[in-house]
PDB file of all heavy atoms in Angstrom:
ATOM      1  N   MET A   1      28.583-140.931-187.178  1.00 48.00           N
ATOM      2  CA  MET A   1      27.673-139.964-186.606  1.00 48.00           C
ATOM      3  C   MET A   1      26.993-139.191-187.733  1.00 48.00           C
ATOM      4  O   MET A   1      27.647-138.672-188.614  1.00 48.00           O
ATOM      5  CB  MET A   1      28.478-139.005-185.746  1.00 48.00           C
ATOM      6  CG  MET A   1      27.643-138.398-184.682  1.00 48.00           C
ATOM      7  SD  MET A   1      28.329-137.029-183.801  1.00 48.00           S
ATOM      8  CE  MET A   1      29.524-137.496-182.725  1.00 48.00           C
ATOM      9  N   ASN A   2      25.676-139.132-187.733  1.00 52.00           N
ATOM     10  CA  ASN A   2      25.013-138.357-188.775  1.00 52.00           C
ATOM     11  C   ASN A   2      24.876-136.906-188.327  1.00 52.00           C
ATOM     12  O   ASN A   2      25.164-136.559-187.188  1.00 52.00           O
ATOM     13  CB  ASN A   2      23.665-138.977-189.163  1.00 52.00           C
ATOM     14  CG  ASN A   2      22.651-138.949-188.029  1.00 52.00           C
ATOM     15  OD1 ASN A   2      22.617-138.005-187.245  1.00 52.00           O
ATOM     16  ND2 ASN A   2      21.820-139.973-187.943  1.00 52.00           N
ATOM     17  N   GLY A   3      24.412-136.037-189.206  1.00 53.00           N
ATOM     18  CA  GLY A   3      24.311-134.614-188.908  1.00 53.00           C
ATOM     19  C   GLY A   3      23.451-134.304-187.700  1.00 53.00           C
ATOM     20  O   GLY A   3      23.745-133.411-186.917  1.00 53.00           O
ATOM     21  N   MET A   4      22.385-135.044-187.510  1.00 53.00           N
ATOM     22  CA  MET A   4      21.499-134.797-186.381  1.00 53.00           C
ATOM     23  C   MET A   4      22.199-135.082-185.045  1.00 53.00           C
ATOM     24  O   MET A   4      22.080-134.330-184.098  1.00 53.00           O
ATOM     25  CB  MET A   4      20.253-135.658-186.509  1.00 53.00           C
ATOM     26  CG  MET A   4      19.169-135.311-185.554  1.00 53.00           C
ATOM     27  SD  MET A   4      17.719-136.259-185.979  1.00 53.00           S
ATOM     28  CE  MET A   4      16.488-135.056-185.613  1.00 53.00           C
ATOM     29  N   ASP A   5      22.970-136.162-184.967  1.00 54.00           N
ATOM     30  CA  ASP A   5      23.716-136.485-183.757  1.00 54.00           C
ATOM     31  C   ASP A   5      24.719-135.392-183.413  1.00 54.00           C
ATOM     32  O   ASP A   5      24.884-135.032-182.259  1.00 54.00           O
ATOM     33  CB  ASP A   5      24.454-137.814-183.898  1.00 54.00           C
ATOM     34  CG  ASP A   5      23.514-139.010-183.923  1.00 54.00           C
ATOM     35  OD1 ASP A   5      22.371-138.874-183.436  1.00 54.00           O
ATOM     36  OD2 ASP A   5      23.925-140.055-184.433  1.00 54.00           O
ATOM     37  N   ALA A   6      25.405-134.873-184.412  1.00 55.00           N
ATOM     38  CA  ALA A   6      26.407-133.832-184.188  1.00 55.00           C
ATOM     39  C   ALA A   6      25.754-132.571-183.622  1.00 55.00           C
ATOM     40  O   ALA A   6      26.339-131.889-182.792  1.00 55.00           O
ATOM     41  CB  ALA A   6      27.144-133.518-185.478  1.00 55.00           C
ATOM     42  N   GLU A   7      24.548-132.264-184.060  1.00 56.00           N
ATOM     43  CA  GLU A   7      23.857-131.077-183.565  1.00 56.00           C
ATOM     44  C   GLU A   7      23.395-131.250-182.126  1.00 56.00           C
ATOM     45  O   GLU A   7      23.341-130.297-181.372  1.00 56.00           O
ATOM     46  CB  GLU A   7      22.663-130.750-184.458  1.00 56.00           C
ATOM     47  CG  GLU A   7      23.062-130.273-185.831  1.00 56.00           C
ATOM     48  CD  GLU A   7      21.870-130.065-186.737  1.00 56.00           C
ATOM     49  OE1 GLU A   7      20.738-129.969-186.223  1.00 56.00           O
ATOM     50  OE2 GLU A   7      22.070-130.003-187.947  1.00 56.00           O
ATOM     51  N   LEU A   8      23.068-132.461-181.707  1.00 56.00           N
ATOM     52  CA  LEU A   8      22.566-132.703-180.364  1.00 56.00           C
ATOM     53  C   LEU A   8      23.677-132.855-179.334  1.00 56.00           C
ATOM     54  O   LEU A   8      23.467-132.621-178.163  1.00 56.00           O
ATOM     55  CB  LEU A   8      21.687-133.952-180.347  1.00 56.00           C
ATOM     56  CG  LEU A   8      20.394-133.851-181.137  1.00 56.00           C
ATOM     57  CD1 LEU A   8      19.683-135.196-181.128  1.00 56.00           C
ATOM     58  CD2 LEU A   8      19.496-132.771-180.591  1.00 56.00           C
ATOM     59  N   GLN A   9      24.856-133.237-179.770  1.00 65.00           N
ATOM     60  CA  GLN A   9      25.933-133.545-178.837  1.00 65.00           C
ATOM     61  C   GLN A   9      26.379-132.353-177.990  1.00 65.00           C
ATOM     62  O   GLN A   9      26.475-132.494-176.770  1.00 65.00           O
ATOM     63  CB  GLN A   9      27.114-134.138-179.579  1.00 65.00           C
ATOM     64  CG  GLN A   9      28.188-134.650-178.641  1.00 65.00           C
ATOM     65  CD  GLN A   9      29.282-135.365-179.376  1.00 65.00           C
ATOM     66  OE1 GLN A   9      29.264-135.490-180.591  1.00 65.00           O
ATOM     67  NE2 GLN A   9      30.254-135.828-178.645  1.00 65.00           N
ATOM     68  N   PRO A  10      26.662-131.169-178.526  1.00 69.00           N
ATOM     69  CA  PRO A  10      27.153-130.076-177.673  1.00 69.00           C
ATOM     70  C   PRO A  10      26.210-129.688-176.536  1.00 69.00           C
ATOM     71  O   PRO A  10      26.668-129.545-175.403  1.00 69.00           O
ATOM     72  CB  PRO A  10      27.382-128.925-178.651  1.00 69.00           C
ATOM     73  CG  PRO A  10      27.659-129.609-179.935  1.00 69.00           C
ATOM     74  CD  PRO A  10      26.758-130.831-179.926  1.00 69.00           C
ATOM     75  N   PRO A  11      24.893-129.549-176.758  1.00 79.00           N
ATOM     76  CA  PRO A  11      24.038-129.211-175.612  1.00 79.00           C
ATOM     77  C   PRO A  11      24.024-130.289-174.539  1.00 79.00           C
ATOM     78  O   PRO A  11      23.995-129.972-173.360  1.00 79.00           O
ATOM     79  CB  PRO A  11      22.653-129.046-176.244  1.00 79.00           C
ATOM     80  CG  PRO A  11      22.910-128.740-177.677  1.00 79.00           C
ATOM     81  CD  PRO A  11      24.166-129.491-178.011  1.00 79.00           C
ATOM     82  N   VAL A  12      24.080-131.555-174.934  1.00 83.00           N
ATOM     83  CA  VAL A  12      24.102-132.642-173.962  1.00 83.00           C
ATOM     84  C   VAL A  12      25.393-132.555-173.156  1.00 83.00           C
ATOM     85  O   VAL A  12      25.377-132.653-171.928  1.00 83.00           O
ATOM     86  CB  VAL A  12      23.973-134.019-174.655  1.00 83.00           C
ATOM     87  CG1 VAL A  12      24.227-135.149-173.686  1.00 83.00           C
ATOM     88  CG2 VAL A  12      22.590-134.157-175.283  1.00 83.00           C
ATOM     89  N   MET A  13      26.510-132.340-173.827  1.00 85.00           N
ATOM     90  CA  MET A  13      27.793-132.233-173.150  1.00 85.00           C
ATOM     91  C   MET A  13      27.790-131.021-172.209  1.00 85.00           C
ATOM     92  O   MET A  13      28.270-131.101-171.079  1.00 85.00           O
ATOM     93  CB  MET A  13      28.936-132.104-174.158  1.00 85.00           C
ATOM     94  CG  MET A  13      30.312-132.149-173.515  1.00 85.00           C
ATOM     95  SD  MET A  13      31.659-132.002-174.702  1.00 85.00           S
ATOM     96  CE  MET A  13      31.379-133.415-175.740  1.00 85.00           C
ATOM     97  N   GLU A  14      27.228-129.924-172.659  1.00 86.00           N
ATOM     98  CA  GLU A  14      27.140-128.717-171.825  1.00 86.00           C
ATOM     99  C   GLU A  14      26.317-128.988-170.570  1.00 86.00           C
ATOM    100  O   GLU A  14      26.712-128.597-169.468  1.00 86.00           O
ATOM    101  CB  GLU A  14      26.511-127.581-172.620  1.00 86.00           C
ATOM    102  CG  GLU A  14      26.416-126.292-171.844  1.00 86.00           C
ATOM    103  CD  GLU A  14      25.820-125.167-172.666  1.00 86.00           C
ATOM    104  OE1 GLU A  14      26.058-125.107-173.882  1.00 86.00           O
ATOM    105  OE2 GLU A  14      25.105-124.348-172.072  1.00 86.00           O
ATOM    106  N   GLN A  15      25.216-129.688-170.699  1.00 87.00           N
ATOM    107  CA  GLN A  15      24.375-130.013-169.554  1.00 87.00           C
ATOM    108  C   GLN A  15      25.109-130.927-168.576  1.00 87.00           C
ATOM    109  O   GLN A  15      24.980-130.784-167.367  1.00 87.00           O
ATOM    110  CB  GLN A  15      23.063-130.655-170.003  1.00 87.00           C
ATOM    111  CG  GLN A  15      22.124-129.691-170.695  1.00 87.00           C
ATOM    112  CD  GLN A  15      21.757-128.514-169.809  1.00 87.00           C
ATOM    113  OE1 GLN A  15      21.436-128.689-168.640  1.00 87.00           O
ATOM    114  NE2 GLN A  15      21.824-127.324-170.369  1.00 87.00           N
ATOM    115  N   GLN A  16      25.891-131.860-169.096  1.00 89.00           N
ATOM    116  CA  GLN A  16      26.664-132.756-168.241  1.00 89.00           C
ATOM    117  C   GLN A  16      27.722-131.984-167.458  1.00 89.00           C
ATOM    118  O   GLN A  16      27.934-132.226-166.272  1.00 89.00           O
ATOM    119  CB  GLN A  16      27.304-133.863-169.067  1.00 89.00           C
ATOM    120  CG  GLN A  16      26.314-134.859-169.605  1.00 89.00           C
ATOM    121  CD  GLN A  16      26.937-135.856-170.548  1.00 89.00           C
ATOM    122  OE1 GLN A  16      27.977-135.617-171.149  1.00 89.00           O
ATOM    123  NE2 GLN A  16      26.281-136.993-170.698  1.00 89.00           N
ATOM    124  N   ILE A  17      28.375-131.054-168.107  1.00 87.00           N
ATOM    125  CA  ILE A  17      29.392-130.235-167.438  1.00 87.00           C
ATOM    126  C   ILE A  17      28.749-129.366-166.369  1.00 87.00           C
ATOM    127  O   ILE A  17      29.254-129.270-165.247  1.00 87.00           O
ATOM    128  CB  ILE A  17      30.166-129.378-168.464  1.00 87.00           C
ATOM    129  CG1 ILE A  17      31.013-130.287-169.347  1.00 87.00           C
ATOM    130  CG2 ILE A  17      31.032-128.334-167.761  1.00 87.00           C
ATOM    131  CD1 ILE A  17      31.602-129.609-170.564  1.00 87.00           C
ATOM    132  N   LEU A  18      27.628-128.745-166.694  1.00 87.00           N
ATOM    133  CA  LEU A  18      26.925-127.909-165.712  1.00 87.00           C
ATOM    134  C   LEU A  18      26.490-128.733-164.510  1.00 87.00           C
ATOM    135  O   LEU A  18      26.629-128.300-163.358  1.00 87.00           O
ATOM    136  CB  LEU A  18      25.711-127.242-166.357  1.00 87.00           C
ATOM    137  CG  LEU A  18      26.013-126.159-167.387  1.00 87.00           C
ATOM    138  CD1 LEU A  18      24.723-125.739-168.092  1.00 87.00           C
ATOM    139  CD2 LEU A  18      26.705-124.981-166.761  1.00 87.00           C
ATOM    140  N   SER A  19      25.986-129.929-164.751  1.00 91.00           N
ATOM    141  CA  SER A  19      25.566-130.806-163.667  1.00 91.00           C
ATOM    142  C   SER A  19      26.750-131.191-162.789  1.00 91.00           C
ATOM    143  O   SER A  19      26.653-131.181-161.554  1.00 91.00           O
ATOM    144  CB  SER A  19      24.903-132.055-164.245  1.00 91.00           C
ATOM    145  OG  SER A  19      24.538-132.933-163.223  1.00 91.00           O
ATOM    146  N   LEU A  20      27.868-131.499-163.390  1.00 91.00           N
ATOM    147  CA  LEU A  20      29.075-131.839-162.642  1.00 91.00           C
ATOM    148  C   LEU A  20      29.526-130.670-161.770  1.00 91.00           C
ATOM    149  O   LEU A  20      29.859-130.854-160.595  1.00 91.00           O
ATOM    150  CB  LEU A  20      30.197-132.241-163.610  1.00 91.00           C
ATOM    151  CG  LEU A  20      31.548-132.537-162.983  1.00 91.00           C
ATOM    152  CD1 LEU A  20      31.465-133.782-162.114  1.00 91.00           C
ATOM    153  CD2 LEU A  20      32.596-132.712-164.062  1.00 91.00           C
ATOM    154  N   MET A  21      29.512-129.466-162.314  1.00 88.00           N
ATOM    155  CA  MET A  21      29.932-128.289-161.550  1.00 88.00           C
ATOM    156  C   MET A  21      28.996-128.038-160.367  1.00 88.00           C
ATOM    157  O   MET A  21      29.440-127.705-159.280  1.00 88.00           O
ATOM    158  CB  MET A  21      29.985-127.046-162.451  1.00 88.00           C
ATOM    159  CG  MET A  21      31.008-127.140-163.566  1.00 88.00           C
ATOM    160  SD  MET A  21      32.676-127.431-162.993  1.00 88.00           S
ATOM    161  CE  MET A  21      33.050-125.862-162.272  1.00 88.00           C
ATOM    162  N   ARG A  22      27.691-128.216-160.590  1.00 91.00           N
ATOM    163  CA  ARG A  22      26.722-128.026-159.507  1.00 91.00           C
ATOM    164  C   ARG A  22      26.924-129.055-158.402  1.00 91.00           C
ATOM    165  O   ARG A  22      26.951-128.719-157.226  1.00 91.00           O
ATOM    166  CB  ARG A  22      25.298-128.146-160.043  1.00 91.00           C
ATOM    167  CG  ARG A  22      24.774-126.880-160.609  1.00 91.00           C
ATOM    168  CD  ARG A  22      23.286-127.025-160.945  1.00 91.00           C
ATOM    169  NE  ARG A  22      23.035-126.273-162.154  1.00 91.00           N
ATOM    170  CZ  ARG A  22      22.834-126.785-163.354  1.00 91.00           C
ATOM    171  NH1 ARG A  22      22.791-128.073-163.527  1.00 91.00           N
ATOM    172  NH2 ARG A  22      22.635-126.015-164.381  1.00 91.00           N
ATOM    173  N   CYS A  23      27.059-130.310-158.784  1.00 92.00           N
ATOM    174  CA  CYS A  23      27.154-131.393-157.801  1.00 92.00           C
ATOM    175  C   CYS A  23      28.479-131.400-157.060  1.00 92.00           C
ATOM    176  O   CYS A  23      28.510-131.613-155.852  1.00 92.00           O
ATOM    177  CB  CYS A  23      26.948-132.742-158.485  1.00 92.00           C
ATOM    178  SG  CYS A  23      25.283-132.999-159.102  1.00 92.00           S
ATOM    179  N   SER A  24      29.571-131.169-157.757  1.00 91.00           N
ATOM    180  CA  SER A  24      30.882-131.312-157.126  1.00 91.00           C
ATOM    181  C   SER A  24      31.364-130.044-156.439  1.00 91.00           C
ATOM    182  O   SER A  24      32.086-130.122-155.447  1.00 91.00           O
ATOM    183  CB  SER A  24      31.917-131.771-158.147  1.00 91.00           C
ATOM    184  OG  SER A  24      32.157-130.759-159.106  1.00 91.00           O
ATOM    185  N   ARG A  25      30.968-128.882-156.942  1.00 87.00           N
ATOM    186  CA  ARG A  25      31.495-127.629-156.408  1.00 87.00           C
ATOM    187  C   ARG A  25      30.432-126.639-155.962  1.00 87.00           C
ATOM    188  O   ARG A  25      30.757-125.575-155.457  1.00 87.00           O
ATOM    189  CB  ARG A  25      32.383-126.938-157.455  1.00 87.00           C
ATOM    190  CG  ARG A  25      33.583-127.725-157.858  1.00 87.00           C
ATOM    191  CD  ARG A  25      34.569-127.768-156.750  1.00 87.00           C
ATOM    192  NE  ARG A  25      35.715-128.571-157.141  1.00 87.00           N
ATOM    193  CZ  ARG A  25      36.658-128.899-156.318  1.00 87.00           C
ATOM    194  NH1 ARG A  25      36.610-128.516-155.073  1.00 87.00           N
ATOM    195  NH2 ARG A  25      37.662-129.638-156.729  1.00 87.00           N
ATOM    196  N   GLY A  26      29.183-126.950-156.179  1.00 90.00           N
ATOM    197  CA  GLY A  26      28.121-126.038-155.788  1.00 90.00           C
ATOM    198  C   GLY A  26      28.064-124.777-156.631  1.00 90.00           C
ATOM    199  O   GLY A  26      27.564-123.751-156.187  1.00 90.00           O
ATOM    200  N   ILE A  27      28.582-124.845-157.840  1.00 91.00           N
ATOM    201  CA  ILE A  27      28.597-123.699-158.744  1.00 91.00           C
ATOM    202  C   ILE A  27      27.317-123.718-159.562  1.00 91.00           C
ATOM    203  O   ILE A  27      27.034-124.678-160.266  1.00 91.00           O
ATOM    204  CB  ILE A  27      29.837-123.737-159.655  1.00 91.00           C
ATOM    205  CG1 ILE A  27      31.092-123.620-158.794  1.00 91.00           C
ATOM    206  CG2 ILE A  27      29.776-122.645-160.702  1.00 91.00           C
ATOM    207  CD1 ILE A  27      32.380-123.857-159.547  1.00 91.00           C
ATOM    208  N   ASN A  28      26.545-122.635-159.458  1.00 89.00           N
ATOM    209  CA  ASN A  28      25.225-122.600-160.089  1.00 89.00           C
ATOM    210  C   ASN A  28      25.077-121.559-161.183  1.00 89.00           C
ATOM    211  O   ASN A  28      23.986-121.173-161.517  1.00 89.00           O
ATOM    212  CB  ASN A  28      24.148-122.369-159.028  1.00 89.00           C
ATOM    213  CG  ASN A  28      23.993-123.565-158.131  1.00 89.00           C
ATOM    214  OD1 ASN A  28      23.738-124.661-158.599  1.00 89.00           O
ATOM    215  ND2 ASN A  28      24.165-123.352-156.852  1.00 89.00           N
ATOM    216  N   GLY A  29      26.158-121.080-161.712  1.00 87.00           N
ATOM    217  CA  GLY A  29      26.029-120.120-162.793  1.00 87.00           C
ATOM    218  C   GLY A  29      27.365-119.495-163.135  1.00 87.00           C
ATOM    219  O   GLY A  29      28.394-119.753-162.507  1.00 87.00           O
ATOM    220  N   ARG A  30      27.338-118.656-164.152  1.00 88.00           N
ATOM    221  CA  ARG A  30      28.554-118.019-164.658  1.00 88.00           C
ATOM    222  C   ARG A  30      29.244-117.190-163.584  1.00 88.00           C
ATOM    223  O   ARG A  30      30.456-117.248-163.415  1.00 88.00           O
ATOM    224  CB  ARG A  30      28.199-117.148-165.861  1.00 88.00           C
ATOM    225  CG  ARG A  30      29.388-116.520-166.525  1.00 88.00           C
ATOM    226  CD  ARG A  30      28.956-115.717-167.752  1.00 88.00           C
ATOM    227  NE  ARG A  30      30.080-115.288-168.524  1.00 88.00           N
ATOM    228  CZ  ARG A  30      30.768-114.178-168.293  1.00 88.00           C
ATOM    229  NH1 ARG A  30      30.414-113.394-167.299  1.00 88.00           N
ATOM    230  NH2 ARG A  30      31.788-113.849-169.047  1.00 88.00           N
ATOM    231  N   SER A  31      28.468-116.420-162.851  1.00 92.00           N
ATOM    232  CA  SER A  31      29.028-115.554-161.823  1.00 92.00           C
ATOM    233  C   SER A  31      29.763-116.365-160.758  1.00 92.00           C
ATOM    234  O   SER A  31      30.888-116.029-160.369  1.00 92.00           O
ATOM    235  CB  SER A  31      27.915-114.725-161.194  1.00 92.00           C
ATOM    236  OG  SER A  31      28.404-113.980-160.107  1.00 92.00           O
ATOM    237  N   GLU A  32      29.148-117.435-160.295  1.00 92.00           N
ATOM    238  CA  GLU A  32      29.785-118.283-159.287  1.00 92.00           C
ATOM    239  C   GLU A  32      31.014-118.988-159.852  1.00 92.00           C
ATOM    240  O   GLU A  32      32.006-119.167-159.152  1.00 92.00           O
ATOM    241  CB  GLU A  32      28.791-119.298-158.741  1.00 92.00           C
ATOM    242  CG  GLU A  32      27.726-118.668-157.874  1.00 92.00           C
ATOM    243  CD  GLU A  32      26.741-119.679-157.318  1.00 92.00           C
ATOM    244  OE1 GLU A  32      27.012-120.890-157.341  1.00 92.00           O
ATOM    245  OE2 GLU A  32      25.671-119.236-156.858  1.00 92.00           O
ATOM    246  N   LEU A  33      30.960-119.367-161.120  1.00 89.00           N
ATOM    247  CA  LEU A  33      32.113-119.994-161.756  1.00 89.00           C
ATOM    248  C   LEU A  33      33.281-119.018-161.805  1.00 89.00           C
ATOM    249  O   LEU A  33      34.409-119.362-161.453  1.00 89.00           O
ATOM    250  CB  LEU A  33      31.758-120.471-163.163  1.00 89.00           C
ATOM    251  CG  LEU A  33      32.916-121.043-163.984  1.00 89.00           C
ATOM    252  CD1 LEU A  33      33.522-122.262-163.298  1.00 89.00           C
ATOM    253  CD2 LEU A  33      32.452-121.379-165.387  1.00 89.00           C
ATOM    254  N   LEU A  34      33.025-117.785-162.224  1.00 91.00           N
ATOM    255  CA  LEU A  34      34.089-116.784-162.283  1.00 91.00           C
ATOM    256  C   LEU A  34      34.652-116.482-160.903  1.00 91.00           C
ATOM    257  O   LEU A  34      35.869-116.350-160.743  1.00 91.00           O
ATOM    258  CB  LEU A  34      33.572-115.511-162.950  1.00 91.00           C
ATOM    259  CG  LEU A  34      33.226-115.643-164.431  1.00 91.00           C
ATOM    260  CD1 LEU A  34      32.597-114.355-164.942  1.00 91.00           C
ATOM    261  CD2 LEU A  34      34.443-116.016-165.243  1.00 91.00           C
ATOM    262  N   ASP A  35      33.789-116.393-159.902  1.00 93.00           N
ATOM    263  CA  ASP A  35      34.262-116.177-158.524  1.00 93.00           C
ATOM    264  C   ASP A  35      35.170-117.316-158.077  1.00 93.00           C
ATOM    265  O   ASP A  35      36.208-117.085-157.449  1.00 93.00           O
ATOM    266  CB  ASP A  35      33.082-116.063-157.555  1.00 93.00           C
ATOM    267  CG  ASP A  35      32.304-114.773-157.716  1.00 93.00           C
ATOM    268  OD1 ASP A  35      32.816-113.827-158.366  1.00 93.00           O
ATOM    269  OD2 ASP A  35      31.168-114.722-157.205  1.00 93.00           O
ATOM    270  N   THR A  36      34.795-118.544-158.402  1.00 90.00           N
ATOM    271  CA  THR A  36      35.595-119.709-158.022  1.00 90.00           C
ATOM    272  C   THR A  36      36.941-119.698-158.732  1.00 90.00           C
ATOM    273  O   THR A  36      37.976-119.974-158.116  1.00 90.00           O
ATOM    274  CB  THR A  36      34.837-121.014-158.331  1.00 90.00           C
ATOM    275  OG1 THR A  36      33.609-121.009-157.605  1.00 90.00           O
ATOM    276  CG2 THR A  36      35.648-122.236-157.962  1.00 90.00           C
ATOM    277  N   ILE A  37      36.949-119.358-160.002  1.00 90.00           N
ATOM    278  CA  ILE A  37      38.205-119.287-160.757  1.00 90.00           C
ATOM    279  C   ILE A  37      39.120-118.225-160.159  1.00 90.00           C
ATOM    280  O   ILE A  37      40.319-118.451-159.984  1.00 90.00           O
ATOM    281  CB  ILE A  37      37.935-119.021-162.251  1.00 90.00           C
ATOM    282  CG1 ILE A  37      37.281-120.249-162.886  1.00 90.00           C
ATOM    283  CG2 ILE A  37      39.223-118.644-162.982  1.00 90.00           C
ATOM    284  CD1 ILE A  37      36.748-120.018-164.286  1.00 90.00           C
ATOM    285  N   ARG A  38      38.558-117.078-159.837  1.00 94.00           N
ATOM    286  CA  ARG A  38      39.359-116.009-159.210  1.00 94.00           C
ATOM    287  C   ARG A  38      39.930-116.467-157.877  1.00 94.00           C
ATOM    288  O   ARG A  38      41.097-116.239-157.572  1.00 94.00           O
ATOM    289  CB  ARG A  38      38.514-114.751-159.016  1.00 94.00           C
ATOM    290  CG  ARG A  38      38.266-114.006-160.284  1.00 94.00           C
ATOM    291  CD  ARG A  38      37.542-112.690-160.018  1.00 94.00           C
ATOM    292  NE  ARG A  38      36.915-112.223-161.224  1.00 94.00           N
ATOM    293  CZ  ARG A  38      35.627-112.246-161.494  1.00 94.00           C
ATOM    294  NH1 ARG A  38      34.764-112.670-160.585  1.00 94.00           N
ATOM    295  NH2 ARG A  38      35.163-111.819-162.636  1.00 94.00           N
ATOM    296  N   TYR A  39      39.093-117.096-157.063  1.00 93.00           N
ATOM    297  CA  TYR A  39      39.543-117.599-155.757  1.00 93.00           C
ATOM    298  C   TYR A  39      40.689-118.603-155.925  1.00 93.00           C
ATOM    299  O   TYR A  39      41.706-118.523-155.229  1.00 93.00           O
ATOM    300  CB  TYR A  39      38.377-118.245-155.008  1.00 93.00           C
ATOM    301  CG  TYR A  39      38.829-119.051-153.831  1.00 93.00           C
ATOM    302  CD1 TYR A  39      39.207-118.429-152.643  1.00 93.00           C
ATOM    303  CD2 TYR A  39      38.909-120.440-153.901  1.00 93.00           C
ATOM    304  CE1 TYR A  39      39.643-119.178-151.556  1.00 93.00           C
ATOM    305  CE2 TYR A  39      39.353-121.186-152.826  1.00 93.00           C
ATOM    306  CZ  TYR A  39      39.729-120.556-151.658  1.00 93.00           C
ATOM    307  OH  TYR A  39      40.169-121.289-150.593  1.00 93.00           O
ATOM    308  N   LEU A  40      40.514-119.555-156.833  1.00 90.00           N
ATOM    309  CA  LEU A  40      41.539-120.565-157.030  1.00 90.00           C
ATOM    310  C   LEU A  40      42.841-119.956-157.548  1.00 90.00           C
ATOM    311  O   LEU A  40      43.939-120.382-157.163  1.00 90.00           O
ATOM    312  CB  LEU A  40      41.047-121.651-157.991  1.00 90.00           C
ATOM    313  CG  LEU A  40      39.942-122.558-157.442  1.00 90.00           C
ATOM    314  CD1 LEU A  40      39.397-123.444-158.555  1.00 90.00           C
ATOM    315  CD2 LEU A  40      40.444-123.377-156.277  1.00 90.00           C
ATOM    316  N   GLY A  41      42.735-118.955-158.399  1.00 93.00           N
ATOM    317  CA  GLY A  41      43.919-118.287-158.926  1.00 93.00           C
ATOM    318  C   GLY A  41      44.646-117.481-157.864  1.00 93.00           C
ATOM    319  O   GLY A  41      45.872-117.364-157.871  1.00 93.00           O
ATOM    320  N   ARG A  42      43.907-116.969-156.924  1.00 94.00           N
ATOM    321  CA  ARG A  42      44.479-116.106-155.880  1.00 94.00           C
ATOM    322  C   ARG A  42      44.877-116.910-154.645  1.00 94.00           C
ATOM    323  O   ARG A  42      45.978-116.760-154.133  1.00 94.00           O
ATOM    324  CB  ARG A  42      43.444-115.040-155.523  1.00 94.00           C
ATOM    325  CG  ARG A  42      43.885-113.999-154.550  1.00 94.00           C
ATOM    326  CD  ARG A  42      42.779-112.984-154.261  1.00 94.00           C
ATOM    327  NE  ARG A  42      41.559-113.648-153.776  1.00 94.00           N
ATOM    328  CZ  ARG A  42      40.367-113.585-154.392  1.00 94.00           C
ATOM    329  NH1 ARG A  42      40.221-112.880-155.488  1.00 94.00           N
ATOM    330  NH2 ARG A  42      39.326-114.214-153.895  1.00 94.00           N
ATOM    331  N   ASP A  43      43.973-117.728-154.136  1.00 86.00           N
ATOM    332  CA  ASP A  43      44.173-118.393-152.857  1.00 86.00           C
ATOM    333  C   ASP A  43      44.264-119.913-152.932  1.00 86.00           C
ATOM    334  O   ASP A  43      44.538-120.552-151.931  1.00 86.00           O
ATOM    335  CB  ASP A  43      43.001-118.060-151.896  1.00 86.00           C
ATOM    336  CG  ASP A  43      42.839-116.571-151.684  1.00 86.00           C
ATOM    337  OD1 ASP A  43      43.872-115.878-151.647  1.00 86.00           O
ATOM    338  OD2 ASP A  43      41.700-116.121-151.543  1.00 86.00           O
ATOM    339  N   GLY A  44      43.915-120.461-154.099  1.00 69.00           N
ATOM    340  CA  GLY A  44      43.725-121.897-154.235  1.00 69.00           C
ATOM    341  C   GLY A  44      44.914-122.731-154.104  1.00 69.00           C
ATOM    342  O   GLY A  44      45.007-123.856-153.885  1.00 69.00           O
TER     343      GLY A  44
END
């Protein structure tokens, strides 16, 4: 992997994770993610 690939990888991975969260759980942002984590910790 050259330096340019290493710089591009984290944003791509972040976008993939965000897409997965939106599609599988309907989570559309930090606030919704935190609410879901709290719910799972309390009632999940």
Side-chain angles (χ1 to χ4, degrees):
M1 205 192 286
N2 65 35
M4 191 173 216
D5 290 339
E7 291 175 17
L8 294 175
Q9 188 174 0
V12 170
M13 187 180 300
E14 181 179 325
Q15 289 301 314
Q16 290 173 337
I17 292 168
L18 290 171
S19 178
L20 176 66
M21 297 303 289
R22 275 188 216 106
C23 292
S24 68
R25 298 289 178 188
I27 297 171
N28 291 303
R30 184 178 189 274
S31 174
E32 290 181 16
L33 175 61
L34 293 174
D35 289 345
T36 301
I37 291 170
R38 285 186 200 106
Y39 167 77
L40 290 171
R42 185 180 56 240
D43 303 324

